[in-house]
Amino acid sequence: MGSFNRLSVIIAFPSKSQGGCEEYALTLARSIDQQGFGVHALFPLSKGTQSLRESFSAFELSYTPLILRYWLPGRFRRVRFAWDIFMIVLCILKKNPRSVHISLPWPDTATELLLACALLRVRTVVTFQLVGEKFTLSPKLRRWYLWARSRNQEWVAVSENNRIILSNVFGISIQEIHLVYNGVTLPKPTITSSQISEITGYTPFILTVGRLSYQKGFDVLLRAFANIQPMFSSIKLVIVGDGELLEELVRQAIQLNLADRVVFTGKRLDVPNWLYNAKLFVLPSRSEGQSFALLEAMAAGVPIVASSASSIPDVVVHEKEGIIFEKDNVLDLTQKLIWALMHMNEMNILAANAKEKAGQFSREAMLRQTLQLLGITFHNEPDPRP
């Protein structure tokens, strides 16, 4: 990845795999590039971020691997912590950006990034993508975060639920945390229904999308899907995504006698095509910030069954835009799936309501508000990239 002479913005995040948080950072970087600013990416160099590096390299930018030495034994932690901050400070000084954006998949995953920016008092926007209901911080770490925030930092929550939790954890007014909803713009399908059908075996399917991790609750969905098979044996389950639990979920599907009923597609770049062809979209998450997959399902007009986790019921209101089940409750999900599949006319009405509501969560609004916090005037220009 090359270098540039344009006034730049640093886009930083600590993730070692690609998911919604990282796609958000890429979308933000593309928009900043369109406004005429250079982009410097700062994120870990790993197998999981290979495709992300390729996406970033599609436009002019430079890249520095973010190294956070979490693996060092306890007696070296203070040394590695200070060293990592020092290296980030050097990177910022070298690039001399007008501002920095930090996207956090979890609030305390990259304290070093926040502290390095605070030491230099560089204009920084920190977006908290996911804040769990049981999230806590030690008193010392809490003081560090509040000190960092006082030094030219703006904090952003992506849902009202996350905003309230952050306010309570840090003991600050809710008005001191910006609320910028994630936003999506769903492209038109690029492949035909017949191509999807070839993969699914020409049968109707339930779709779910996300990183294959415990947080996403796919194990709950598999058990519920097994329960409805006696009534809906012609329907398949399609799981789009990749992650650390892939092998475990495949084994679970085999143990539940679902080997020929569940399709694991891996990570795909054509998710909208699957949404437009799905019978139902299910989001079984145990926690969410504001799910991009859920917003895309709403925009596609596919009927939705989703868990009660975090901010999901605020986005999809039960029996208004979709059906909500109690998170982690296999029996409740089973019952809600049966009801949805037996009442598709009613589900289609809810889906139409959700599609209309999806207009409130536009990508343009998300970018406009975030770039304004970074000190950049947003001009909505079409993105020529796929």
Side-chain angles (χ1 to χ4, degrees):
M1 298 182 183
S3 60
F4 51 83
N5 296 318
R6 293 182 293 166
L7 190 61
S8 67
V9 175
I10 289 179
I11 299 292
F13 52 90
S15 314
K16 293 185 178 180
S17 58
Q18 186 169 350
C21 176
E22 299 71 42
E23 292 288 348
Y24 164 86
L26 177 60
T27 298
L28 185 60
R30 283 175 171 165
S31 182
I32 292 170
D33 176 65
Q34 288 176 0
Q35 314 310 315
F37 293 87
V39 178
H40 183 79
L42 183 61
F43 59 88
L45 180 66
S46 69
K47 182 179 179 181
T49 58
Q50 176 61 39
S51 61
L52 196 62
R53 296 198 304 275
E54 293 171 356
S55 297
F56 268 101
S57 66
F59 55 99
E60 185 181 8
L61 95 112
S62 58
Y63 168 70
T64 298
L66 175 64
I67 301 174
L68 302 175
R69 298 170 177 81
Y70 297 120
W71 51 268
L72 287 176
R75 64 180 179 275
F76 294 115
R77 284 177 184 167
R78 291 183 181 178
V79 175
R80 67 88 183 156
F81 189 75
W83 179 256
D84 290 345
I85 292 174
F86 174 71
M87 295 304 294
I88 296 171
V89 165
L90 287 182
C91 176
I92 296 173
L93 288 172
K94 181 179 179 180
K95 298 301 175 183
N96 190 28
R98 68 171 294 146
S99 53
V100 176
H101 183 275
I102 300 172
S103 184
L104 297 180
W106 189 255
D108 58 354
T109 49
T111 311
E112 297 91 333
L113 279 170
L114 274 72
L115 294 179
C117 292
L119 285 170
L120 297 174
R121 293 187 74 98
V122 63
R123 184 173 191 158
T124 304
V125 176
V126 183
T127 298
F128 296 86
Q129 285 289 343
L130 173 61
V131 186
E133 295 175 0
K134 297 182 180 180
F135 170 66
T136 59
L137 280 178
S138 68
K140 178 187 290 187
L141 201 55
R142 180 177 175 274
R143 288 194 297 270
W144 284 355
Y145 270 66
L146 291 174
W147 173 80
R149 181 181 171 276
S150 71
R151 293 176 64 84
N152 205 17
Q153 291 191 7
E154 302 287 349
W155 287 2
V156 176
V158 299
S159 71
E160 188 63 35
N161 178 269
N162 280 3
R163 193 184 187 198
I164 292 171
I165 296 173
L166 288 171
S167 172
N168 291 335
V169 168
F170 289 103
I172 59 178
S173 168
I174 195 170
Q175 284 74 30
E176 296 180 72
I177 303 170
H178 300 276
L179 176 60
V180 179
Y181 290 110
N182 288 333
V184 298
T185 299
L186 201 65
K188 295 180 180 179
T190 57
I191 62 176
T192 66
S193 299
S194 61
Q195 290 172 294
I196 293 284
S197 298
E198 288 177 6
I199 300 175
T200 60
Y202 296 90
T203 60
F205 63 92
I206 295 171
L207 178 68
T208 188
V209 179
R211 183 179 296 167
L212 305 187
S213 63
Y214 177 79
Q215 170 209 339
K216 297 298 183 178
F218 294 131
D219 55 314
V220 175
L221 177 54
L222 282 173
R223 294 199 295 273
F225 184 68
N227 289 342
I228 70 170
Q229 280 300 289
M231 294 181 65
F232 304 98
S233 59
S234 63
I235 295 178
K236 287 190 175 181
L237 172 64
V238 174
I239 300 178
V240 175
D242 200 0
E244 63 271 18
L245 293 186
L246 174 59
E247 293 184 2
E248 182 176 329
L249 291 172
V250 170
R251 285 196 299 270
Q252 182 183 1
I254 294 172
Q255 292 168 357
L256 293 169
N257 296 317
L258 298 175
D260 61 341
R261 310 306 307 158
V262 179
V263 178
F264 292 90
T265 70
K267 180 175 176 59
R268 295 190 67 96
L269 301 179
D270 60 347
V271 172
N273 300 304
W274 292 86
L275 287 169
Y276 287 121
N277 286 278
K279 191 174 186 67
L280 285 178
F281 174 82
V282 180
L283 186 71
S285 301
R286 291 183 168 96
S287 61
E288 282 289 349
Q290 192 193 28
S291 169
F292 282 99
L294 178 61
L295 296 179
E296 290 179 342
M298 293 171 66
V302 58
I304 294 169
V305 176
S307 79
S308 60
S310 309
S311 61
I312 294 174
D314 296 332
V315 178
V316 173
V317 177
H318 181 55
E319 296 184 345
K320 184 176 180 181
E321 290 101 20
I323 298 298
I324 300 297
F325 72 92
E326 183 182 357
K327 70 173 182 179
D328 244 338
N329 189 324
V330 176
L331 179 59
D332 193 32
L333 176 54
T334 300
Q335 293 171 343
K336 296 295 171 57
L337 287 176
I338 292 173
W339 188 93
L341 291 169
M342 293 182 67
H343 297 82
M344 289 306 300
N345 288 337
E346 290 90 335
M347 290 300 298
N348 287 329
I349 294 173
L350 300 182
N353 294 339
K355 185 173 184 178
E356 181 178 356
K357 188 175 184 179
Q360 301 176 21
F361 306 103
S362 71
R363 179 174 296 179
E364 178 181 343
M366 175 187 76
L367 293 172
R368 186 181 300 279
Q369 294 174 64
T370 306
L371 265 62
Q372 182 179 11
L373 292 172
L374 288 167
I376 299 172
T377 301
F378 175 76
H379 302 285
N380 189 20
E381 301 175 5
D383 189 348
R385 305 175 189 90

